[in-house]
């Protein structure tokens, strides 16, 4: 079955190129100017942080928040775009220095819960069915800093409260094992899926698997995706690449490990990912060295690589693969796979 893929990214994927060691190297390109690029680049979906929809939402009244969300709804309609998810940005505020949901301070936890409710309100206001929890600071720099069991109980309580707060919203957890904290809670798909099943309405709790985050956990991204798919819990993907166990790189999809990228595309294709409207999300960053404004080549390249690999997945000789599997001839299977990827003809 040929899936008609729909692609998405978030406005943070067009960036100024700053890193922790130096300033911006590209001129700022306003969010409001980014929306018009989506369709031209072949993207239909927008991923948002709550304050990408409503800037400075902290000081605003419900009416002001609704008005700003209304403007984004109009923009989406005019541009022919679909909102994929809204994520509460729980890593910038004073109250989230040591995490929100798992902070040792009650006042921080209260802030995180209130911010989550606003995020859900914003998602609903722009007709978006999911929020994403990337648990940036829900972890520790030293393990003794928090009681991990209590932290997981707090996360589950927060998920249940959110499910109660809105009877339709879905919660997609984006696991990541480290950065910015050293030891992050919910580091893998397994943790996210376990939390989902423990919640009061597990069908509304899913996961977003990011290739780089799986690699940072020393796991195979396609297996993380397959695990979520086996439980009908793959809400979305953040395809990108990562060169080993170091800082989170968000490299172009397929740029480090083509074969691992192929396996991700294969698992998505074989499971009909996309047939229920799921997006191919790309969480990629342009190289800091790249001049220009806006720089979008990394988005184009990652999308193109995905489509090339779809072609490879569709022309992968399943009967031959099955024959090699039955014969347990994995040497032959590997050579066939590499030759297929390289386009070597017999
Ligand atoms: C960082 C994450 C981040 C999230 C985004 C959406 O490592 O990948 O970019 O995907 O904030 O929640
Ligand atoms: Mg991501």
């Amino acid at each position: 079955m040929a899936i008609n893929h729909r692609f998405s990214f978030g406005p943070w994927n067009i960036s100024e190129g700053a890193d922790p060691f130096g300033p911006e190297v590209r001129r700022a390109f306003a969010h409001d100017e980014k929306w018009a690029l989506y369709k031209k680049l072949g993207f239909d979906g927008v991923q948002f942080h709550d304050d990408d929809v409503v800037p400075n939402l902290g000081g605003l009244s419900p009416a002001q928040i609704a008005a700003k969300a209304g403007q984004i709804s109009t923009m989406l309609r005019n541009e022919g775009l679909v909102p994929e998810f809204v994520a509460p940005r729980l890593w910038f505020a004073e109250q989230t220095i040591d995490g929100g949901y798992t902070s040792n301070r009650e006042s921080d936890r209260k802030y995180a819960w209130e911010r989550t409710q606003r995020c859900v309100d914003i998602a609903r206001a722009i007709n978006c069915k999911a929020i994403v929890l990337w648990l940036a600071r829900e972890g520790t720099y030293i393990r003794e800093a928090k009681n991990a069991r209590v932290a997981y109980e707090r996360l589950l309580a927060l998920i249940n409260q959110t499910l109660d707060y809105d009877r339709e919203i879905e919660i997609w957890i984006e696991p990541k094992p480290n950065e910015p904290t050293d030891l992050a809670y919910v580091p893998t798909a397994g943790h996210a899926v376990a939390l989902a099943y423990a919640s009061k309405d597990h069908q509304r709790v899913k996961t977003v698997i990011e290739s780089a985050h799986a690699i940072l956990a020393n796991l195979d991204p396609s297996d993380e995706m397959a695990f979520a798919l086996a439980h009908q819990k793959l809400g979305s993907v953040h395809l990108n690449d990562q060169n080993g166990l170091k800082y989170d790189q968000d490299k172009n999809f397929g740029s480090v490990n083509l074969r691992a990228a192929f396996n991700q595309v294969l698992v998505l294709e074989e499971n009909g990912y996309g047939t229920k409207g799921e997006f191919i999300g790309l969480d990629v960053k342009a190289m800091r060295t790249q001049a220009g404004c806006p720089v979008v080549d990394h988005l184009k390249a990652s999308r193109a690589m995905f489509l090339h690999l779809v072609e490879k997945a569709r022309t992968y000789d399943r009967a031959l693969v099955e024959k090699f599997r039955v014969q347990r001839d994995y040497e032959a299977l590997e050579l066939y796979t590499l030759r297929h990827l390289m386009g070597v003809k017999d």
Side-chain angles (χ1 to χ4, degrees):
M1 155 192 34
I3 306 163
N4 199 5
H5 295 289
R6 293 193 304 167
F7 294 87
S8 62
F9 71 89
W12 63 89
N13 293 111
I14 298 177
S15 77
E16 288 84 64
D19 71 16
F21 307 97
E24 290 84 1
V25 293
R26 293 184 284 265
R27 202 158 45 74
F29 189 71
H31 273 18
D32 286 346
E33 294 180 59
K34 291 174 185 169
W35 316 130
L37 298 177
Y38 273 74
K39 280 279 182 187
K40 288 187 196 129
L41 293 168
F43 289 77
D44 295 303
V46 187
Q47 307 181 336
F48 292 100
H49 294 126
D50 49 8
D51 56 6
D52 295 328
V53 182
V54 182
N56 308 314
L57 69 113
L60 302 185
S61 68
Q64 288 170 313
I65 291 178
K68 190 65 204 165
Q71 286 172 18
I72 290 287
S73 286
T74 307
M75 175 284 289
L76 290 167
R77 232 183 353 266
N78 290 345
E79 299 287 345
L81 297 171
V82 181
E84 188 189 7
F85 66 68
V86 182
R89 196 195 293 276
L90 285 167
W91 53 92
F92 258 83
E94 172 77 16
Q95 298 91 327
T96 57
I97 288 174
D98 197 19
Y101 307 138
T102 66
S103 170
N104 289 322
R105 292 193 190 165
E106 198 184 343
S107 55
D108 294 347
R109 298 198 300 275
K110 188 162 170 279
Y111 169 84
W113 167 230
E114 278 164 8
R115 179 91 185 215
T116 305
Q117 291 170 81
R118 293 300 76 74
C119 180
V120 172
D121 297 343
I122 290 168
R124 296 306 298 253
I126 63 168
N127 205 16
C128 179
K129 69 163 194 178
I131 64 164
V132 161
L133 301 184
W134 170 47
L135 301 167
R137 298 194 190 277
E138 311 302 344
T140 59
Y141 300 95
I142 60 164
R143 188 35 92 220
E144 299 83 5
K146 289 180 190 169
N147 178 325
R149 177 176 174 162
V150 169
Y152 276 114
E153 286 169 0
R154 284 180 172 151
L155 287 171
L156 181 57
L158 176 280
I159 290 166
N160 283 335
Q161 269 171 272
T162 310
L163 293 170
D164 275 344
Y165 179 71
D166 187 294
R167 296 301 170 141
E168 287 174 35
I169 201 82
E170 292 192 3
I171 302 169
W172 299 348
I173 304 169
E174 183 178 333
K176 184 175 180 184
N178 60 276
E179 201 192 86
T181 62
D182 180 9
L183 300 156
Y185 300 125
V186 197
T188 69
H191 293 75
V193 169
L195 274 172
Y197 280 125
S199 76
K200 62 197 306 176
D201 188 359
H202 85 82
Q203 291 186 346
R204 290 198 284 137
V205 186
K206 299 179 182 166
T207 178
V208 176
I209 301 300
E210 172 162 329
S211 326
H213 297 180
I215 296 165
L216 285 170
N218 215 1
L219 295 170
D220 179 80
S222 70
D223 274 357
E224 288 284 271
M225 290 171 193
F227 180 76
L229 284 162
H231 295 272
Q232 285 80 49
K233 296 211 170 296
L234 190 60
S236 190
V237 288
H238 266 176
L239 300 185
N240 56 18
D241 217 337
Q242 168 76 26
N243 188 16
L245 302 180
K246 37 183 104 165
Y247 66 96
D248 185 11
Q249 298 183 308
D250 297 335
K251 283 173 176 279
N252 288 349
F253 184 55
S255 65
V256 176
N257 189 335
L258 207 48
R259 183 177 177 183
F262 170 66
N263 280 305
Q264 291 168 65
V265 175
L266 200 60
V267 87
L268 295 174
E269 285 288 295
E270 287 182 343
N271 286 284
Y273 178 88
T275 48
K276 296 199 196 92
E278 303 96 327
F279 279 92
I280 299 298
L282 298 174
D283 199 358
V284 286
K285 291 213 176 67
M287 289 178 232
R288 188 165 190 268
T289 43
Q290 195 69 11
C293 179
V295 170
V296 293
D297 288 352
H298 58 304
L299 290 159
K300 280 194 213 161
S302 296
R303 181 180 178 279
M305 281 309 302
F306 178 86
L307 291 171
H308 290 317
L309 289 169
V310 165
E311 197 46 41
K312 288 290 173 188
R314 290 181 184 168
T315 51
Y316 195 46
D317 187 341
R318 299 303 200 287
L320 192 59
V321 170
E322 198 43 40
K323 191 183 106 194
F324 292 144
R325 283 181 177 177
V326 169
Q327 294 171 343
R328 214 174 67 198
D329 189 352
Y330 302 145
E331 293 288 350
L333 176 57
E334 178 166 83
L335 184 61
Y336 163 64
T337 303
L338 294 180
R339 287 163 68 97
H340 179 66
L341 285 178
M342 292 176 71
V344 176
K345 302 266 178 271
D346 287 325

